[in-house]
Amino acid sequence: AAPRVLNVNVGVLGHIDSGKTALARALSTTGSTAAFDRAPQSRARGITLDLGFSCLRTALPPQLGPGPGELQFTLVDCPGHASLIRTIIGGAQIIDLMMLVIDVTKGMQTQSAECLVIGQIACQKMVVVLNKIDLLPEGKRQSAIEKMTKKMQKTLENTKFCGCPIVAVAAKPGGPEAPESENPLGVSELIEVLKSEAYLPSRDPSGHFLMAVDHCFSIKGQGTVMTGTILSGSVSLGDNVEIPALKVTKKVKSMQMFHTPVTYAMQGDRVGICVTQFDPKLLERGLICTPESLHTIHAAIISLKKIQYFRGALQTKAKFHITVGHETVMGRVMFFSPAPADFNEEIQENVFDFGKDYLYQEEYLSKDSNSSENKENDQAEVQLPRQQWALLEFEKPVTCPKLCLVIGSKLDTDIHANTCRLAFHGVLLQGMEDKNYVETFLPKLKVYKLKHKEGQVERVSGLFKAVCR
């Protein structure tokens, strides 16, 4: 049998110009097709526009089991550029380990903070890479690195990445113009840290097949190849797959993983799938799936949590950029919570109970909610429900898998403003496929408002009557 290859997907995130692509290049031994800014528009602009993929292979570390084998890190170089936040979220479901790249001369910047937020939502483990140490004068280098390391440890204290490894490197000493002969600093140490952090990701071959395609091209005499990462389920030779955006179904003719033919691939794998009679120009990137497994929805009910770094209230009727699956659309929200008597009741995960009554909220309830009642008795402990929901109404329909990750953000905020633009994250519990969902579906959702009226009694007439104003 061929030695087994364990694939671990590593997201490379960070602020624009922190040196992510240079780092991926320094780490890689094998470039896959979509690697290193191959898109002409990103070469021209000098920034990464697509999720770039490349990989490095190393011997299997002892903690991952006996026997020969290789550990393959697929580096997903995620764009740090503000408007491209959706690509990061698109790849989030399959990232096992995250590298947060920080420019050691600048420290945490706005987008690094956003990357950290996305990491906390979508990822279990992180390594912080302090890049560009070659820019620090040699005499003061060590103390500057230690100072920045302490600063980063402090930043990560209240996150789930508290105590994660922090490694200092120079991916491309001398900057992009330096000759190739300049060897990177600290990269072999970083590879050792990555190996020690690697774990067997839990992969589930069951459920519907869904793959994020990041690259599509034709090979003469073979057909059209779609390369990408399998987000869920599995695929075998001869299976039918649907391209939902085009409503086309095609048969899998052949498959490859890193230039080796395979007959089967499952969640988390990077794979190239070959089909015939399909024009690659129709699909630069997007989703392919088990036929009819994705649904196109006009509205949805989601369970959600506010992102703590977002400043400002989440108001009902407000519009947010909603990212679901691989799309970002404008959507309007309406928040609601359990009836106050049920605030502390255990809520079943990933299901929504239409049998219950829910309380309408003018805004998402959080510790910093500033409703007028709280101001009067701010000594009293504010009771918060364990779970809150929102009804999302999209400006145009979106296609996505069930129970997918949802992120709401205010992407129209100035990217240079020092503020987190991600507002909430949640899980899509129930999509509404009917265009007329307001008539057909919404009546099932029982949301009530509390109202009271005050007045004055003008006069009493008889025992049971009063005239009031």
Side-chain angles (χ1 to χ4, degrees):
R4 68 189 181 119
V5 177
L6 174 72
N7 183 48
V8 173
N9 292 315
V10 181
V12 190
L13 287 90
H15 197 77
I16 186 167
D17 287 341
S18 56
K20 299 183 297 296
T21 305
L23 181 65
R25 195 177 270 130
L27 282 167
S28 291
T29 47
T30 318
S32 83
T33 48
F36 308 138
D37 287 357
R38 44 143 267 292
Q41 70 268 35
S42 57
R43 274 201 215 108
R45 290 173 58 191
I47 61 167
T48 310
L49 276 179
D50 207 335
L51 283 171
F53 285 91
S54 52
C55 80
L56 78 124
R57 280 192 173 180
T58 136
L60 208 56
Q63 86 258 20
L64 295 179
E70 286 189 300
L71 174 61
Q72 168 176 295
F73 289 108
T74 298
L75 303 173
V76 186
D77 177 18
C78 300
H81 205 15
S83 59
L84 302 169
I85 223 150
R86 42 184 154 282
T87 6
I88 301 178
I89 299 168
Q93 297 101 316
I94 41 118
I95 290 177
D96 305 306
L97 174 66
M98 180 167 124
M99 278 197 290
L100 182 62
V101 186
I102 301 284
D103 179 335
V104 70
T105 62
K106 295 187 177 131
M108 275 293 265
Q109 295 166 273
T110 322
Q111 286 160 21
S112 358
E114 289 181 353
C115 293
L116 186 56
V117 169
I118 290 174
Q120 286 197 81
I121 295 167
C123 192
Q124 295 312 312
K125 285 187 139 190
M126 185 168 85
V127 174
V128 174
V129 181
L130 302 176
N131 193 15
K132 306 193 181 184
I133 57 172
D134 57 306
L135 300 179
L136 302 168
E138 274 193 33
K140 299 182 183 149
R141 188 172 294 172
Q142 209 39 49
S143 65
I145 290 172
E146 279 162 22
K147 200 167 136 192
M148 189 55 84
T149 303
K150 284 208 176 75
K151 224 170 166 173
M152 287 305 301
Q153 283 164 339
K154 187 105 185 82
T155 303
L156 298 172
E157 245 171 22
N158 300 320
T159 71
K160 72 168 169 195
F161 303 124
C162 177
C164 78
I166 298 176
V167 187
V169 305
K172 187 89 173 72
E177 271 65 65
E180 290 300 322
S181 55
E182 283 280 330
N183 281 330
L185 307 172
V187 169
S188 48
E189 289 81 354
L190 174 57
I191 290 176
E192 288 310 308
V193 169
L194 289 176
K195 281 169 75 169
S196 68
E197 289 293 301
Y199 61 98
L200 284 167
S202 57
R203 300 289 192 218
D204 178 7
S206 70
H208 292 304
F209 165 69
L210 178 67
M211 170 164 143
V213 174
D214 44 66
H215 198 41
C216 197
F217 53 93
S218 58
I219 295 179
K220 221 182 169 93
Q222 295 277 323
T224 293
V225 176
M226 301 181 274
T227 62
T229 305
I230 300 178
L231 302 178
S232 68
S234 62
V235 61
S236 301
L237 227 52
D239 282 0
N240 282 328
V241 295
E242 181 189 3
I243 303 158
L246 308 168
K247 302 270 187 277
V248 178
T249 299
K250 290 279 167 201
K251 197 176 191 132
V252 177
K253 187 183 160 205
S254 64
M255 295 198 290
Q256 279 199 355
M257 277 202 241
F258 290 100
H259 314 302
T260 313
V262 292
T263 56
Y264 171 84
M266 67 182 273
Q267 186 186 46
D269 288 334
R270 286 276 308 154
V271 63
I273 289 181
C274 182
V275 300
T276 51
Q277 288 153 0
F278 177 68
D279 178 1
K281 290 196 192 63
L282 296 173
L283 183 81
E284 174 50 36
R285 57 180 316 147
L287 297 170
I288 59 172
C289 62
T290 303
E292 318 226 318
S293 62
L294 287 192
H295 56 174
T296 298
I297 56 175
H298 298 266
I301 290 172
I302 64 165
S303 58
L304 79 158
K305 297 256 184 292
K306 181 176 176 177
I307 288 167
Q308 63 190 63
Y309 308 104
F310 183 75
R311 296 189 195 136
L314 305 180
Q315 306 271 4
T316 281
K317 296 202 173 78
K319 283 187 176 177
F320 290 90
H321 290 85
I322 311 288
T323 303
V324 273
H326 275 61
E327 297 188 69
T328 299
V329 296
M330 290 303 286
R332 191 183 290 283
V333 292
M334 178 191 85
F335 298 104
F336 56 97
S337 62
D342 302 337
F343 266 20
N344 288 321
E345 206 173 280
E346 277 290 335
I347 305 277
Q348 245 187 306
E349 237 192 332
N350 294 346
V351 260
F352 184 77
D353 183 350
F354 283 97
K356 291 201 156 110
D357 288 352
Y358 296 95
L359 176 60
Y360 172 90
Q361 302 290 0
E362 287 291 345
E363 63 178 22
Y364 179 87
L365 298 179
S366 60
K367 285 194 179 64
D368 47 358
S369 295
N370 48 4
S371 58
S372 49
E373 297 134 62
N374 298 355
K375 289 206 180 91
E376 289 156 30
N377 51 11
D378 49 31
Q379 289 78 24
E381 185 54 43
V382 185
Q383 268 270 293
L384 292 179
R386 283 193 169 190
Q387 178 63 64
Q388 292 176 65
W389 296 272
L391 169 69
L392 293 183
E393 302 190 70
F394 303 117
E395 291 197 348
K396 60 174 206 274
V398 293
T399 299
C400 60
K402 294 184 164 61
L403 291 180
C404 65
L405 174 69
V406 178
I407 293 191
S409 24
K410 286 272 187 200
L411 296 181
D412 35 16
T413 315
D414 175 23
I415 71 163
H416 303 296
N418 190 10
T419 171
C420 174
R421 298 168 310 155
L422 306 172
F424 60 82
H425 68 96
V427 174
L428 194 137
L429 302 180
Q430 179 77 50
M432 300 172 210
E433 302 187 38
D434 187 346
K435 214 180 190 143
N436 305 319
Y437 66 90
V438 175
E439 289 86 43
T440 57
F441 198 97
L442 284 191
K444 291 186 205 166
L445 175 63
K446 298 185 283 194
V447 175
Y448 65 89
K449 291 184 181 178
L450 292 176
K451 289 189 173 174
H452 74 271
K453 291 186 172 178
E454 288 178 14
Q456 281 146 344
V457 176
E458 292 264 291
R459 63 178 192 277
V460 177
S461 65
L463 278 176
F464 302 106
K465 265 191 190 163
V467 178
C468 305
R469 184 217 292 270

